[in-house]
Amino acid sequence: EEDFKELSLKKVQAALQKLRSSDFASRGLLLYSASDDGSLREWSHSGELLRSFAGVEGVQCVQVTDDYIIGGDSSGLMRIWSRSSGEIFKDVKVATRYVKSILVSGEHVFTGDYCNLVQQWLLATGELQAQFKGHKAGVISMAMAGNVLVAGGGDGHVLLFDQSKEEEVVDGIRVLEAVES
């Protein structure tokens, strides 16, 4: 473990010029990194590069589950890879530009983008389930607390979206506005 803290992080840092995001997989103690050069990489706990995953444009964010590795890129694409095989499972066009944040919660993937939206997708199919509106600048971070989605934006605001609230449905898609404080 000491090796990982010292030597391995230096190896990872040297290999990545513009690190955008990282995530740990608890199973196997692996680190996943996303970077502007379009790469998404898997690292061992000792800092050894295990494999790289094909990216489209600059990979902005990454989230890992037991079964999938999910990356968002600067072209607005969410790419899902099989964690076991490394093969592309699904590509989903999320936005016209920059997917900056990804959050997995249960069977859903939430994306935050520079179109000022948070969107909820069904992980298995890539089907859009809901849109969360209210930010005036790109969504750059997200967290889930029970039924409440917390989204931080480039506008300096943190917005809360209560998923148990009644919402508007437009063309079969739920549309939620931020909770008034």
Side-chain angles (χ1 to χ4, degrees):
E1 196 169 285
E2 286 300 312
D3 286 345
F4 184 69
K5 289 179 183 172
E6 302 280 333
L7 182 61
S8 299
L9 287 178
K10 289 178 184 172
K11 285 183 189 177
V12 171
Q13 287 171 346
L16 301 173
Q17 294 302 310
K18 291 204 173 189
L19 178 67
R20 291 291 181 192
S21 177
S22 63
D23 195 16
F24 274 100
S26 56
R27 190 178 77 198
L29 294 174
L30 301 173
L31 172 70
Y32 293 83
S33 61
S35 94
D36 260 354
D37 66 4
S39 66
L40 193 150
R41 295 179 176 116
E42 178 183 76
W43 304 86
S44 72
H45 68 281
S46 63
E48 178 185 352
L49 176 62
L50 299 176
R51 58 185 172 167
S52 294
F53 299 86
V56 177
E57 303 247 345
V59 183
Q60 301 293 305
C61 53
V62 61
Q63 182 92 118
V64 181
T65 72
D66 285 344
D67 299 318
Y68 301 107
I69 301 158
I70 305 149
D73 76 12
S74 58
S75 74
L77 184 73
M78 173 177 62
R79 176 162 281 177
I80 305 170
W81 291 268
S82 163
R83 188 162 166 219
S84 59
S85 71
E87 298 294 319
I88 296 170
F89 170 71
K90 184 169 294 305
D91 283 340
V92 180
K93 186 67 174 174
V94 170
T96 56
R97 58 191 180 124
Y98 292 99
V99 177
K100 292 299 285 183
S101 182
I102 289 180
L103 170 71
V104 176
S105 180
E107 62 187 25
H108 294 105
V109 178
F110 296 84
T111 58
D113 59 50
Y114 268 19
C115 298
N116 310 339
L117 285 175
V118 173
Q119 298 181 85
Q120 177 183 328
W121 308 85
L122 196 56
L123 179 57
T125 65
E127 178 186 348
L128 180 61
Q129 301 284 299
Q131 291 184 326
F132 303 81
K133 298 180 176 181
H135 276 291
K136 304 292 186 242
V139 179
I140 56 176
S141 64
M142 294 181 291
M144 188 67 78
N147 281 334
V148 177
L149 176 69
V150 182
D155 55 6
H157 293 99
V158 174
L159 300 182
L160 307 177
F161 299 95
D162 186 348
Q163 294 192 76
S164 63
K165 235 175 96 169
E166 289 294 317
E167 71 276 337
E168 177 184 6
V169 176
V170 178
D171 296 326
I173 310 237
R174 295 181 324 139
V175 178
L176 286 84
E177 297 288 337
V179 175
E180 296 293 324
S181 51

